[in-house]
Amino acid sequence: MSEPPAPRGPQAALIGFAIRFRGVIAALTMTLLAYGAYTLPGLNYDVFPEFAPPQVGIQTEAPGLSPEQVETLVTQPIEDALGGAPGVETLRSTSIQGLSVITVLFGEGGDLYRDREIVAERLANAARRLPPGIAPP
């Protein structure tokens, strides 16, 4: 029986290098493991990724007002104040008996905390224009 031929090519050269310089390979391996262990606690990973865009919900109580009055006196001024805010892609609103609900949808990749602060600043200005007796948004 004859022996199989020795491997030739880049794989043989790589294996030969690894055997010849096993101390260097071991040191590089330990360095990579140490770096991985060092960076692991700071990784930002999600088990369940977010599929919905970042959004902020605003509810304003307007006791005693009809849906038409809520739309005109509450929802429209708040929408006007939020319109044109940086990062806002869509405004959705619903006005029912005594309640205004507005959902502000932001673009992907934005910072939700920054977006909420922008909404809070704009709501503070809009709250001054609401009729008396309306709870702040």
Side-chain angles (χ1 to χ4, degrees):
M1 298 233 163
S2 64
E3 293 186 23
R8 295 185 183 174
Q11 295 90 2
L14 182 63
I15 292 170
F17 176 83
I19 292 172
R20 199 169 329 126
F21 299 105
R22 61 184 164 262
V24 172
I25 299 299
L28 285 174
T29 302
M30 296 307 282
T31 303
L32 284 173
L33 283 172
Y35 178 72
Y38 172 74
T39 59
L40 185 64
L43 289 178
N44 184 14
Y45 54 91
D46 285 328
V47 175
F48 302 108
E50 289 290 330
F51 295 110
Q55 59 183 334
V56 175
I58 304 161
Q59 293 185 4
T60 309
E61 293 182 17
L65 296 181
S66 69
E68 293 82 16
Q69 291 172 323
V70 171
E71 178 72 28
T72 305
L73 299 173
V74 179
T75 304
Q76 284 296 326
I78 293 174
E79 283 182 344
D80 292 342
L82 294 173
V88 172
E89 284 193 356
T90 307
L91 284 173
R92 296 180 185 160
S93 64
T94 304
S95 299
I96 59 172
Q97 179 83 27
L99 182 66
S100 168
V101 179
I102 300 173
T103 303
V104 184
L105 297 168
F106 291 92
E108 291 292 328
D111 181 20
L112 184 59
Y113 295 108
R114 181 180 158 273
D115 296 338
R116 288 176 65 185
E117 186 164 331
I118 289 170
V119 168
E121 290 172 2
R122 301 255 177 148
L123 283 177
N125 291 332
R128 295 184 210 138
R129 295 186 303 195
L130 296 177
I134 304 296

